[in-house]
Amino acid sequence: MTIRTSRRALLGAATLATPAIAWAQGSLAGRTITLVVPSPAGGGTDFSARLVAEPLGRALGATMVVENRPGGNDVVGLMSVLRAPADATTLLCGYCATMTARPAIGGIGEIQPIRDFQAVGVITDTPQLFVTHPSVPANTLQEFIALAKQRPGAMNYASAGIGSMHHMGTEYLKHRVGIDLVHVPYRGTGETIRDLIAGRIQFYMNSPPPLTPLVRDGQLRALCVSSNERHPGLPDIPSAAEQGLPDTGLNVWFAVFAPRGVPAAQVALLSDKLQEVLADPGVRQRAFDAGALVAPSTAAALTDRVARETESWRQIARTANITAG
């Protein structure tokens, strides 16, 4: 028996199949994607998310919105992503400390980023900026260290909570150079900066974007950047290596993650499109102007980095006696 199918029927079948094929290839066109920032507005995570949200949504043919969901050392935001459907419509803008340092000291409960999230790619990767209030009589990192040794326990430093890069990085610095600073945790960068400008905080380290404008306006004093080389966007600020502290390894990075269970095709699509967005000169310039350095990466490279840095922080925490409690 011969079965004849009309050209119109074949075209109709192809038309009906197209959405299914596109979905199988990971398409997110026409959908609304929420990029969750698990911290308040105004910090480095928020900056990085908003840097890529609009162009990434456009590249995907989707609408991407940024939603701040702070609380519980970022646990509130992380759980909101993990509880969402695993269809790539809810993603995480992850902060390096949340994804590596906090887990290393048990600071985010039962969440295990290596197990619970899939890496998409890095957005920015930038040395931290060490700053003080201008009233502190120290113009360089070495002068600040000398002052702190003269006044053990008399000066304080701020962080965004236990296990944040500000906390872990400063505790590492304290242990390495032998100084005593009092830890003052805050709920977000905005609150921290207000007290820093007011002179209630003496020392702070963070990624440059929220601090650079304040340094340029003279409201804060920059001591150095936490790298062996000077930051290309902040050429007048010395590196930590120039200040006698090489190989600090305190870069701050922010990256996109999908919850475990999102299909591999969608993760691959997100990763490819994110790298395309970060290659755009306009996006790179906006980051650079704020003091951040764009650093595209593959999903595989980010996966390896999370595992490597988690173990590194675990070793540092043991050496410096840093705990989540």
Side-chain angles (χ1 to χ4, degrees):
M1 182 178 67
T2 301
I3 299 175
R4 292 183 174 86
T5 305
S6 69
R7 184 172 181 273
R8 179 179 296 179
L10 287 170
L11 288 172
T15 301
L16 289 172
T18 298
I21 293 171
W23 179 256
Q25 293 173 341
S27 174
L28 293 165
R31 311 201 77 187
T32 297
I33 302 170
T34 300
L35 183 56
V36 172
V37 173
S39 56
T45 316
D46 187 67
F47 171 83
S48 295
R50 295 182 191 280
L51 176 70
V52 300
E54 191 276 332
L56 181 55
R58 188 169 61 247
L60 292 164
T63 299
M64 182 169 283
V65 296
V66 175
E67 185 171 328
N68 297 86
R69 295 181 183 173
N73 274 346
D74 294 352
V75 170
V76 171
L78 268 63
M79 288 304 303
S80 73
V81 177
L82 293 179
R83 288 170 178 155
D87 59 2
T89 59
T90 304
L91 304 172
L92 174 73
C93 187
Y95 165 47
C96 57
T98 302
M99 308 308 285
T100 65
R102 283 176 175 149
I105 62 171
I108 53 173
E110 298 301 314
I111 299 173
Q112 296 180 32
I114 294 174
R115 178 196 67 193
D116 298 330
F117 289 92
Q118 299 180 81
V120 172
V122 174
I123 302 172
T124 60
D125 183 2
T126 314
Q128 293 198 76
L129 185 58
F130 294 6
V131 299
T132 65
H133 186 266
S135 64
V136 176
N139 293 307
T140 67
L141 178 62
Q142 285 301 325
E143 289 179 0
F144 180 82
I145 291 171
L147 183 67
K149 288 182 176 180
Q150 293 170 12
R151 306 175 182 178
M155 294 192 292
N156 56 35
Y157 77 92
S159 84
I162 302 295
S164 65
M165 280 297 288
H166 331 107
H167 172 232
M168 299 288 280
T170 309
E171 289 297 318
Y172 168 70
L173 174 67
K174 286 170 53 179
H175 179 79
R176 181 165 172 178
V177 302
I179 59 175
D180 181 14
L181 304 174
V182 178
H183 180 209
V184 182
Y186 285 79
R187 289 178 294 182
T189 302
E191 291 182 358
T192 303
I193 287 176
R194 282 195 293 274
D195 274 8
L196 188 61
I197 292 172
R200 288 186 283 271
I201 296 296
Q202 283 75 54
F203 179 83
Y204 186 50
M205 63 170 70
N206 200 353
S207 58
L211 301 176
T212 300
L214 303 172
V215 171
R216 289 172 176 161
D217 291 344
Q219 297 183 74
L220 297 176
R221 179 183 297 133
L223 299 178
C224 69
V225 291
S226 64
S227 53
N228 287 342
E229 300 80 28
R230 294 196 178 199
H231 187 303
L234 305 169
D236 296 332
I237 300 174
S239 68
E242 290 176 81
Q243 291 290 303
L245 200 69
D247 304 323
T248 61
L250 297 177
N251 270 30
V252 171
W253 52 262
F254 303 95
V256 178
F257 293 85
R260 185 64 58 191
V262 170
Q266 291 179 326
V267 174
L269 176 66
L270 288 164
S271 183
D272 289 345
K273 293 301 181 183
L274 178 61
Q275 290 178 71
E276 287 180 19
V277 164
L278 294 175
D280 180 80
V283 172
R284 299 177 74 89
Q285 190 63 47
R286 284 195 294 279
F288 189 80
D289 289 344
L293 301 177
V294 163
S297 74
T298 64
L302 177 55
T303 298
D304 290 344
R305 183 172 189 175
V306 170
R308 186 175 65 253
E309 291 192 8
T310 300
E311 179 55 31
S312 177
W313 279 117
R314 191 173 286 119
Q315 294 176 13
I316 290 171
R318 283 196 294 264
T319 300
N321 195 30
I322 304 170
T323 64

